[in-house]
Amino acid sequence: MLEGNAIFRNIYCLLAGNEGNAAYCTPLAPGQYGYAGVKFGLLPHGWEWVAYFVAGFIIVFMVVNAIMLSTALYTWFERRAIGRFQARIGPNRWGPFGLLQPIADLLKMLLKEDTVPKDADRWVFNIAPIVMFVPMLLIFAVIPFGKSSYIANLNIGILFIISVTTVSALAIFMAGWASANKYAMFGAVRGVAQLVSYEVPMVLSIVGVILLSGSLSTISIVESQRLPFLLLQPLGFLIFLLAASAEMNRTPFDLIEADSEIVAGYHIEYSGMKWGVLQAAEFAAPLATGAIMATLFLQGWRGTFLPSHLWFLLKVFSIVFLLLWIRATLPRFRVDQIMGFAWKGLFPLALINLFVTAIEVLIWPLPNTGQLWLMVGINWIVAVVSIVAFANILGQRSFRRLRPRTSPLAGVTSEVG
Amino acid sequence: MTTSLSGQELSQIVSEAVPDSVAEWNERDIFIKPESWLKVARLLKEKAELDFAFLNAVTVVDYIEFFEVVYHLTSLRHNHSAVIKMRCYGREEPAVPSVVSIWQGADFQEREAWDLMGVRFDGHPNLKRIMLWEGFPGHPQRKDFLR
Amino acid sequence: MTLKTEPVTINIGPQHPSTHGVFRMRVTFDGEVVVDVEPVLGYLHRGSEKLAEERTYTQVVTLTDRLDYVASMSNNLAYVLTVEKLAGIKPPDRAMYLRVIAAELMRIASHLVFTGFWLNDLGALATPLMYCFREREKILDLFEMLCGARITLSYMRPGGVFQDAPEDFWPALHRFLEEMPNYIDEYEGLITGNEIVLVRAKNVGILSAEKAVNSSISGPILRASGVEWDLRKADPYEIYDRVKFNIPFGGVGDNFDRYFVRVQEMRESLKIIEQCVEQVEPGPVRSEVPFLVRPPKGEAYGRVEAPKGELGFYLVSDGGIAPYRCKIRSPSFINLTILRDILVGWKLADMIVTFGTIDINMGEVDR
């Protein structure tokens, strides 16, 4: 499973580079296995499993830490950027440009008292943050960060991502239910309804990508993108963006923790590091989404002149910034409108997208470049037309300033001035 | 400019429709007998030439020997205003009829007057303390309230 | 099959981000739908009316600052007008112009606070709030020039104002008047045509004109319901009869109208200030008033159009140096009367938004 990974291969071959593992370790000279001058594996025969374990552990350790650190960095970035959006500065005291702010936050959260409500279901209450955070890490298992650098090449990578993200709905419900708080309960109930609804358009929007690439594996999806699927799947991209921001419960869809309504929703009773873990999960979510979207729609790590990892980071960053921009700008939907938007708006749009893509794939199973560009044209036209049509059906149309009519209850004011 | 109806004008109209309801009047305000207040209030609101649809304020003033309940009324249509007063004697639970059924705007103000002044408004649907908590001893805005 | 559900009772407040202070509602929900609302007040009750009976007429001005603390100039104005009515004091012209300028600036500031917090209630992560507060800061800077304070201003006195505006006040005011329309355009660009705002606020929390008048609702809420009633026109005080302005009013009485009336009112206030700046002439800013005002025995009811509605003071004098009775007719308090009527039947999210458009201020509600 990990064999395709370059770092894994290097470590593994260093430890157990003998003839039995010829499949992974390239021969230095005929009959001499090893890696980079070290001719033989450090471990004797029969101990390859230790090498496998150590190499796997090291790479997972690296990736998890990188994600945690980038999450911490992202909290700083989000707060700075939103500060800019809101005509203020944002955290700028601790470290250069306030870069150490996440560490200060972490220390604060570690030192805070960890309270558990008296009526809470302790076990569920304590485990909910972990259930919330682990899926966020698991997503990154199948994301190719750069050219041949990924943890696992699952042949059902996309399916894995979808099933793993669904767990967060469970975590939200666990947290809300176990808190024994009515606000938390409201958040949890809203959360389950919303997250389950938005799974549907999200999955359907990915199906278009799968049809085009002909594979469920994220690695081969990246490799099959001759053109970025953003061009081929504009509607799918948009639906995925909206559905994902609903899945992450960020601002236009942040009913679950609606600050002005149910205060903090499902995590109202959490404090200290448990709250910190919930928040970390919440801040890791945009990064995960950015990574998924970069992989599915923006050619992943592929790019021309920059190193592949840098390309990937740039793409993730641009998606994350887009999400952040939306978050800083828009007010929140109401609960029935949010469900209506999923089922009346995004779901039919996703079906249209799927239908059009399926027909195209049926006509051109192996498209050449010209046919590919033809598909781009058709898909963009379909996207624009269907979005405009749906906006006109569901939306408020244009804002018209109605001429107000006076009530006959008072009519005295026109006599002066 | 809002014109204020004089007590004379108003007392004429009121005592015509509801006889024996005006206790006294001066150039600014009229004093209504509490027992006929509901009838007068309905008249003030519904009579087309008066049309006092808007109740500005309900005030209770403690004059030691009596409580004066003051109603400031405005007609938005005719742009005139009036001051209606009632005197109720006695310091143990003085009572006047409530006008919530006529002007809903009196709701909270009457509750406040009951809470702070201890004037009972008979017929109020929900006459509870509003500013202070249930069980507060006495009515703190009275002149003789001491803690 | 019908699912049996039980109503849930939730305390919203006194500590809640959207109750704008220590207001508490005991709300019963059926799922997300509001079934019953019971307001619980009094967490900020300081007994201002009783306190006023122990202070001289001039000292009470400082108490009025603490009523509606985002619109203290209007409170000062209402109180000072009532004292002048009671004692028969005539303030000089320049003082009246300064007071109107201050009161209209305060109206803009108060509506800015409303707009920002209302958008926060709508869930817009504080971005419009920050924008609105940016301009409110400028107004507070102007007030700082006038009287040295920013929130609890106590600028007005019976018989005039505390001091004349300093030299650098007028250019700063000019700059503000030039900038402000653009900023209002900016808010409107952010908010007025916003699809989500429209879908959340249009036809939500409708208050009919009859209900509004019967419940003694005043101010922008009353006008949003289509009742063209503004004390500045209907009963002009100070110099409002010398300036030209319109009264914006709405047609439906929904949340959006209540917001939109306020935004238009800001523009009208700017117009009023501009005219005042043109008309104001040099002169004294305080008439000769004794240190201890002793109004003759009597009573007076003075009222102004405060940002939140009709703010009235009912003062009874027994000829002494302190008011015998000081009743404050606070608009926020009386506007809450309709709370139950406009909230029941709507969803939790609508409830917060509708409650936001009533624009209460707890300092004024509890007094």
Side-chain angles (χ1 to χ4, degrees), chain A residues 85-86 182-183 186 190 251 259-261 263 328 332 334 337 395-396 399 401 404-407 409 413 416, chain C residues 9-12 16-18 31-32 121-123 125 127 130-131 195 199-200 226 228 233 249 260 349-350:
Chain A
F85 278 118
Q86 296 180 349
K182 284 170 184 168
Y183 285 116
F186 261 81
R190 283 176 171 194
T251 285
D259 185 50
S260 61
E261 293 157 24
V263 192
R332 184 188 306 127
R334 199 171 60 201
Q337 291 159 352
Q396 296 279 303
F399 167 65
R401 221 168 261 191
R405 110 198 105 75
T406 346
S407 155
L409 291 167
T413 44
V416 201
Chain C
T9 306
I10 295 189
N11 260 321
I12 301 213
H16 188 279
S18 319
E32 287 256 347
D121 291 348
L122 274 169
L125 203 84
T127 309
M130 288 293 165
Y131 280 42
E195 184 84 14
V199 91
R200 285 290 302 278
E228 205 179 349
K233 283 261 192 203
F249 57 96
F260 201 54
D350 294 331

Side-chain angles (χ1 to χ4, degrees), chain C residues 259-294:
Chain C
Y259 151 75
F260 201 54
V261 161
R262 286 188 174 99
V263 171
Q264 286 171 304
E265 253 178 36
M266 285 199 257
R267 295 188 195 273
E268 297 300 325
S269 291
L270 287 174
K271 265 198 241 168
I272 294 173
I273 299 170
E274 267 165 23
Q275 291 172 53
C276 285
V277 172
E278 278 167 24
Q279 292 173 16
V280 67
E281 276 162 13
V285 291
R286 245 172 122 176
S287 53
E288 290 293 319
V289 175
F291 180 63
L292 293 174
V293 186
R294 280 175 204 271

Side-chain angles (χ1 to χ4, degrees), chain A residues 30 38 45 76 127 130 179 231 250 252 257 262 269 283 315 323 346 362:
Chain A
V38 185
H45 256 304
W76 169 84
I127 207 156
I130 303 166
S179 295
L231 291 176
R250 284 162 75 84
E257 52 190 271
I262 48 173
E269 291 286 2
F283 278 106
K315 284 165 184 170
L323 289 168
L346 294 186
L362 210 61

Side-chain angles (χ1 to χ4, degrees), chain C residues 33-35 340 342-347:
Chain C
V33 181
V34 179
V35 182
R340 200 178 173 285
I342 57 172
L343 294 192
V344 168
W346 297 99
K347 294 207 166 51

Side-chain angles (χ1 to χ4, degrees), chain C residues 171-192:
Chain C
L173 184 62
H174 269 293
R175 216 174 313 126
F176 174 76
L177 289 176
E178 272 166 27
E179 286 172 359
M180 194 57 200
N182 304 331
Y183 286 126
I184 298 178
D185 289 342
E186 192 181 316
Y187 310 141
E188 284 221 59
L190 259 175
I191 301 162
T192 306

